[in-house]
Amino acid sequence: MSTSWTLARTFAARAEEHPDRGMLVAGGRTWTYGQVDARSSALAAAMGELGIEADDRIAIVMPNWPEWVITLLAAAKLGVTVVPLNARLSYHELKYQLRHAEVSAVFSAQRHGGIDYLQTFEDIIAELPDLLYLVTVGDEELWYDDRIFRFEDLVSSGEGRALPSRHEVDDDSDLAMLYTSGTMGKPKGVRLSHRTIVETALRTGEALEMDATDRVLVAVPLFTIFGFSIVVGALGVGATIVLQDIFEPAAAVELLRREDVTVMHGVPTIYHLIMRAPGFDPDAFPHLRTGVVAGGPVHEDLVRRIRRWCDVQVAYGLTETGPTVTITRFTDPDDKRLTTVGRPLPGVEIKAVDFVTGALHGPEAVGEIAVRGPNVMQGYARMPAETARSFSPEGFFLTGDLGIIDEDGYLRIVGRTKETIVRGGYQIYPREVEDLLRAHPAVDDVCVIGVPHDVMGELVCACVVPVEGAVITGDELKLFARDTMADYKLPDLVRFFDAFPMTGSGKVKRRELERMVSLDHTATIGSS
């Protein structure tokens, strides 16, 4: 019998095997597989009553809460596509992505981190006719709008109701659409199938030797493919998921200790900050055995330091590859585990593409890493030309990353062909930030670059040529930027220039600019 990679069937099998096993741990409470199954079915039934049906898209905009996971599973049972969005996006960024994704309903926190999301989405829903419903997690009573529901009220209304007539969801149906930076600075909606996400998550779990006895800390945001995949991989083997709503180092250390966590994942920044947290003791987590470090450049010295208290694997991937392409294994030689990002998952092929000819290289040659396999996206939503440009004639997805594949099949990443800045695990496209900063009347020209940093991976540095005679400070520019973009995209550093180094064709020499800034400054967050 063939394997089904749909999320609903994968979850149903685990819920049937052990309904009383703890599935979600959050805020001192535990929900069992049986309870999550019942709540997600009730929510799915209620969503069906509202007319939300297969192939519709719903957005999830909330921290790492149990309701996030329950909404995902309800959508999977209906054949609905989820669109996880970053709650830290600005009003206009949220509105753009909701409109682009043609979202029918938003599931959101009412308030979190001092932000009134209820008010934000009340304003947005009035401007987007395709957005029919807002479902909020919180205690505020909502009696004034028949399109706005409390999450708990919706779950209660669906209890005891049958699911709508089942739409046949197959492995190639879209499970999620996640946004990533675009080549022109606009976000692109990456369409990922059930098989892409579920099989990739389970294959990654196999490399970690995960099973139902594991307790997995999820501190990585669920709106990223990394966080999304961690949850799917954990529930796919019947493990217990320990949720941290927003990553905070000291609280993460306490969760690792109190909840007997056995597996934790993170971008390099998360591990850096945990090891710097007050009270961090490498001997305090006797149950912690492994996890994945990925989502940014992973240096050998960091891997050595982490492995003193958690025997992590190093992985490489992208949103477009669901995410894992390669990962190290426990059985790999020590030097390969330390200096490479491992070998591909089963069924995944990788090649290096020659820059000049476009031909697929053999081993030991630097080229753009190209990927083919079940982990690769369906394409970019509403962008057929961009999708076509992203694949080689042989059907390999072109990652934009430079690497070497050695004769044993292990991959080393050596750089990026694209100019994406990776700050604390978040991808930032310079063009997007530059366009916003240019709107300031005192800015004549601007070039945004990444500056290496030992904790964040890279900092965002805005290099600015002011208008002649203008008086402007770095702090003023940061304050201007705060109103127009998500906080993680804000410049950490601002440097002023009389003119930029230029090529003969009139392009800014970014590499030379990076060298100039690096020589001038030892990166520290908060400098201006």
Side-chain angles (χ1 to χ4, degrees):
M1 183 173 129
S2 62
T3 302
S4 169
W5 298 109
T6 63
L7 180 58
R9 287 179 185 155
T10 301
F11 171 67
R14 303 293 85 77
E16 187 176 339
E17 284 171 7
H18 44 234
D20 298 325
R21 181 186 294 278
M23 176 182 166
L24 297 176
V25 176
R29 289 188 59 191
T30 299
W31 291 260
T32 66
Y33 272 82
Q35 289 171 327
V36 172
D37 189 26
R39 285 176 65 78
S40 58
S41 289
L43 180 59
M47 288 163 63
E49 288 290 319
L50 293 177
I52 299 171
E53 57 189 10
D55 300 327
D56 281 344
R57 291 176 181 151
I58 64 166
I60 308 178
V61 191
M62 64 180 86
N64 292 3
W65 286 348
E67 292 85 357
W68 204 111
V69 181
I70 290 164
T71 303
L72 166 64
L73 292 168
K77 290 178 179 185
L78 285 177
V80 169
T81 303
V82 298
V83 183
L85 297 181
N86 183 354
R88 294 163 67 183
L89 294 175
S90 71
Y91 176 90
H92 295 289
E93 289 169 320
L94 281 169
K95 183 175 154 186
Y96 172 84
Q97 293 185 15
L98 290 169
R99 175 182 282 144
H100 183 267
E102 301 173 288
V103 164
S104 301
V106 171
F107 288 71
S108 171
Q110 284 185 3
R111 289 176 180 79
H112 192 267
I115 300 174
D116 187 342
Y117 291 105
L118 179 56
Q119 183 62 57
T120 297
F121 284 110
E122 279 184 313
D123 295 341
I124 288 177
I125 200 171
E127 297 187 41
L128 298 182
D130 291 336
L131 180 54
L132 303 177
Y133 302 108
L134 172 62
V135 182
T136 68
V137 179
D139 298 326
E140 186 167 325
E141 292 295 333
L142 310 168
W143 50 269
Y144 48 84
D145 192 322
D146 59 5
R147 296 185 299 169
I148 303 178
F149 300 87
R150 286 177 69 244
F151 185 90
E152 287 301 326
D153 293 343
L154 209 55
V155 171
S156 296
S157 73
E159 289 175 355
R161 292 187 181 181
L163 290 174
S165 54
R166 186 169 293 279
H167 169 80
E168 191 56 38
V169 178
D170 61 31
D171 293 355
D172 294 325
S173 299
D174 284 1
L175 172 57
M177 192 166 95
L178 293 97
Y179 279 88
T180 189
S181 296
T183 55
M184 295 306 291
K186 288 293 184 186
K188 296 180 287 189
V190 180
R191 295 175 47 226
L192 299 171
S193 71
H194 281 255
R195 183 181 182 187
T196 290
I197 294 177
V198 175
E199 181 176 1
T200 303
L202 291 178
R203 296 294 190 202
T204 304
E206 288 171 3
L208 299 173
E209 300 178 7
M210 283 179 57
D211 62 30
T213 65
D214 278 310
R215 297 174 65 83
V216 184
L217 176 65
V218 183
V220 179
L222 293 179
F223 66 80
T224 66
I225 187 57
F226 194 1
F228 195 121
S229 181
I230 296 167
V231 163
V232 172
L235 70 82
V237 297
T240 301
I241 298 164
V242 179
L243 293 171
Q244 184 177 23
D245 59 351
I246 299 290
F247 174 70
E248 194 282 316
V253 169
E254 178 57 27
L255 280 174
L256 288 171
R257 182 187 297 114
R258 187 178 71 235
E259 297 296 340
D260 293 336
V261 169
T262 62
V263 178
M264 75 159 283
H265 307 277
V267 297
T269 304
I270 283 180
Y271 287 100
H272 271 296
L273 294 177
I274 280 180
M275 289 187 288
R276 292 185 177 189
F280 173 77
D281 176 1
D283 298 321
F285 322 114
H287 300 93
L288 187 59
R289 63 177 190 83
T290 192
V292 167
V293 56
V298 183
H299 301 292
E300 292 177 35
D301 60 334
L302 176 62
V303 177
R304 286 191 183 97
R305 289 173 59 208
I306 300 170
R307 285 184 179 154
R308 291 172 191 157
W309 54 279
C310 181
D311 192 12
V312 291
Q313 304 295 353
V314 182
Y316 162 73
L318 304 89
T319 302
E320 290 92 338
T321 58
T324 312
V325 174
T326 63
I327 187 169
T328 59
R329 275 84 162 175
F330 295 110
T331 54
D332 289 337
D334 289 345
D335 66 316
K336 303 289 191 186
R337 289 191 73 213
L338 196 59
T339 63
T340 78
V341 292
R343 289 167 293 132
L345 295 179
V348 175
E349 299 174 77
I350 58 172
K351 298 286 185 181
V353 178
D354 185 275
F355 296 111
V356 178
T357 66
L360 301 177
H361 273 316
E364 306 293 352
V366 175
E368 180 177 4
I369 299 305
V371 184
R372 184 168 66 184
N375 62 329
V376 175
M377 67 171 181
Q378 309 267 59
Y380 296 117
R382 301 171 63 182
M383 298 178 75
E386 182 67 23
T387 300
R389 282 194 295 269
S390 300
F391 286 85
S392 75
E394 298 85 1
F396 282 80
F397 173 71
L398 303 171
T399 66
D401 291 309
L402 303 178
I404 302 172
I405 304 163
D406 70 21
E407 58 186 9
D408 298 316
Y410 291 86
L411 173 63
R412 288 178 174 83
I413 300 296
V414 298
R416 292 196 296 273
T417 61
K418 300 174 184 176
E419 297 160 353
T420 308
I421 298 167
V422 180
R423 182 192 186 278
Y426 291 103
Q427 290 191 18
I428 300 159
Y429 202 83
R431 170 72 179 271
E432 184 180 13
V433 182
E434 289 164 2
D435 287 347
L436 292 167
L437 294 178
R438 280 195 185 95
H440 193 287
V443 172
D444 185 37
D445 200 5
V446 59
C447 182
V448 172
I449 60 174
V451 177
H453 189 266
D454 61 348
V455 174
M456 302 304 292
E458 292 177 289
L459 299 184
V460 179
C461 178
C463 301
V464 175
V465 176
V467 171
E468 186 176 7
V471 178
I472 184 173
T473 67
D475 286 340
E476 287 172 21
L477 203 57
K478 290 180 187 180
L479 193 61
F480 171 81
R482 192 174 297 280
D483 294 330
T484 59
M485 68 184 78
D487 58 0
Y488 66 89
K489 301 177 185 177
L490 293 171
D492 299 292
L493 314 168
V494 179
R495 292 289 174 266
F496 293 97
F497 294 79
D498 294 327
F500 292 146
M502 309 291 280
T503 66
S505 59
K507 294 181 180 179
V508 177
K509 294 181 179 178
R510 287 179 179 269
R511 291 290 172 84
E512 188 170 329
L513 204 54
E514 289 169 1
R515 282 196 295 270
M516 292 165 67
V517 171
S518 296
L519 287 171
D520 182 54
H521 181 78
T522 301
T524 305
I525 291 180
S527 296
S528 56

